[in-house]
Amino acid sequence: MSFMMSTRALARLDHAALRAAGQRSAEGRPSRIGGTTAPYAVFATAGSARTMLRRVLRLRQWVTVISQADDLHPLIEGAVSPAIRLQIPAGTVSREFLAAYDSTRRFALSPIAPCPQCGARVPTVCINNLADYGDWLRGAQNLAESPFYRTSPAHHDDCPLPRQPLTT
């Protein structure tokens, strides 16, 4: 049986992610974000995408993860399955992620957040583990962009970001 996470529990998740990122940094271990390491799971269904999110963020089985097809982000050429939007609801707040494959068939799990230019909610960076999520929360600058960050059709028409060169 699944239960909606409380706002306090979501804050604990964020705190655990920040702690994991800090510990990795203190130990001098590099981030795997954007690295050459292949993803450790393949998904083709919403259930598998939910399982992947649970594994990456170390979520307990009782935490509700809502999934739906993401019609906004088109299937990347050569991908093996469509993008799936994942949501962890927690009271009046939630966390959203886009699960998709990039053009090299690498799994990309990306937190969805406001674009710094237009404010539209777009996929941001690729995360592979809890520490990566913590790095994103603390605004680390060396994170690899989601394959949909600049090309997302969610950007407002006047947003300059989609016309800027990719940084990955």
Side-chain angles (χ1 to χ4, degrees):
M1 172 179 251
S2 294
F3 294 96
M4 186 166 55
M5 195 177 233
S6 69
T7 305
R8 177 182 275 172
L10 190 59
R12 284 193 305 261
L13 169 65
D14 290 353
H15 183 71
L18 290 166
R19 196 171 49 243
Q23 181 177 356
R24 177 173 63 192
S25 178
E27 293 172 358
R29 291 183 290 135
S31 168
R32 292 188 332 163
I33 296 177
T36 57
T37 306
Y40 51 83
V42 173
F43 78 91
T45 66
S48 298
R50 287 190 305 269
T51 298
M52 186 68 171
L53 179 67
R54 286 179 192 289
R55 188 175 297 153
V56 167
L57 296 183
R58 301 181 194 164
L59 297 174
R60 305 243 196 253
Q61 286 300 325
W62 56 263
V63 174
T64 298
V65 176
I66 299 168
S67 59
Q68 64 186 39
D70 189 292
D71 298 329
L72 186 60
H73 296 93
L75 185 65
I76 295 176
E77 184 179 336
V80 293
S81 67
I84 296 173
R85 188 175 289 250
L86 302 167
Q87 180 185 32
I88 304 170
T92 59
V93 297
S94 65
R95 296 290 184 268
E96 285 189 302
F97 299 85
L98 185 71
Y101 283 97
D102 66 15
S103 58
T104 63
R105 294 183 175 225
R106 278 185 46 87
F107 175 75
L109 182 63
S110 309
I112 296 174
C115 168
Q117 298 291 320
C118 69
R121 294 186 51 76
V122 297
T124 55
V125 300
C126 296
I127 62 171
N128 295 311
N129 54 50
L130 190 62
D132 293 347
Y133 179 59
D135 282 340
W136 176 76
L137 286 171
R138 68 183 175 119
Q141 298 298 308
N142 62 341
L143 306 177
E145 292 180 357
S146 160
F148 289 113
Y149 179 59
R150 294 178 191 270
T151 61
S152 174
H155 287 284
H156 297 165
D157 290 339
D158 60 348
C159 182
L161 198 59
R163 293 178 289 284
Q164 294 176 1
L166 294 175
T167 59
T168 58

